[in-house]
Amino acid sequence: LDDCDVCNGGNADDLGCGCFEAGPSGCDETCGSELVVDECGECGGSGIADGACDCDGNVDDCAGECGGSSELDDCGVCDGDNWSCVETSIDVTYDSDVAIAGFQFNVSGPAVLSASGGAAADAGFTVSTSPSVVIGFAFDGSTIPAGSGVLTTLVVQGDPSGFSISGEVVSSSDGVTLDSFIEGNG
């Protein structure tokens, strides 16, 4: 029997790990060790830390990129422009020598949320909006008197510097399309 009680087994020094038959076993080459190399390549390491996305401790940015630089803007939008939650009032003005029975125009830039007030409200117009179209008329046939002033006030959401009106159609009480120009004053 040898030092490890193995018949013709040799001496403990011949096995390289005392009397353990398998020799060094962990990644640290210590007899009986159960240490393994983690996903970061560290023997006995704890791996990627909770909340991190890589071995360097980086975390996902708001776009889901590990260690990326994307950030939430003031409106809570990832890589936003800080305008998506900002509401601004814009007066839409008119100047007409004929009474106005209805109007429609397209808006580009910020999204239109609503329209109210101005000569349209004074005349009892119903003014409807979508994010890019405004239309106003009166079901009872009333008109906005000839003159100038605020036609209606829009509430828009987004960067008002890109606001513009196009495709305006203004009609008289007899249904004739008037030569027109409507202007937004932000």
Side-chain angles (χ1 to χ4, degrees):
L1 292 177
D2 67 6
D3 297 344
C4 297
D5 292 329
V6 175
C7 182
N8 293 326
N11 292 320
D13 292 335
D14 295 338
L15 294 174
C17 188
C19 294
F20 292 100
E21 293 179 16
S25 56
C27 61
D28 61 350
E29 298 186 12
T30 301
C31 289
S33 171
E34 294 181 8
L35 294 178
V36 295
V37 176
D38 69 6
E39 68 259 58
C40 296
E42 185 179 329
C43 179
S46 58
I48 297 174
D50 287 345
C53 59
D54 63 15
C55 296
D56 295 330
N58 291 315
V59 295
D60 287 339
D61 64 6
C62 63
E65 184 179 328
C66 184
S69 61
S70 295
E71 295 180 354
L72 294 177
D73 70 1
D74 293 340
C75 298
V77 175
C78 187
D79 278 342
D81 61 5
N82 295 319
W83 283 106
S84 65
C85 62
V86 175
E87 294 182 8
T88 306
S89 294
I90 297 177
D91 288 337
V92 177
T93 59
Y94 72 101
D95 186 1
S96 176
D97 57 0
V98 178
I100 298 172
F103 60 86
Q104 177 177 336
F105 53 88
N106 301 323
V107 174
S108 58
V112 177
L113 300 177
S114 66
S116 62
D122 294 344
F125 275 36
T126 297
V127 180
S128 298
T129 64
S130 75
S132 62
V133 177
V134 178
I135 185 169
F137 62 93
F139 285 105
D140 66 3
S142 62
T143 60
I144 297 170
S148 62
V150 174
L151 180 65
T152 190
T153 299
L154 304 179
V155 175
V156 298
Q157 187 173 43
D159 183 356
S161 67
F163 179 84
S164 68
I165 292 175
S166 64
E168 62 273 347
V169 176
V170 180
S171 63
S172 66
S173 59
D174 58 3
V176 173
T177 300
L178 304 172
D179 289 334
S180 63
F181 179 74
I182 301 174
E183 184 173 56
N185 299 317

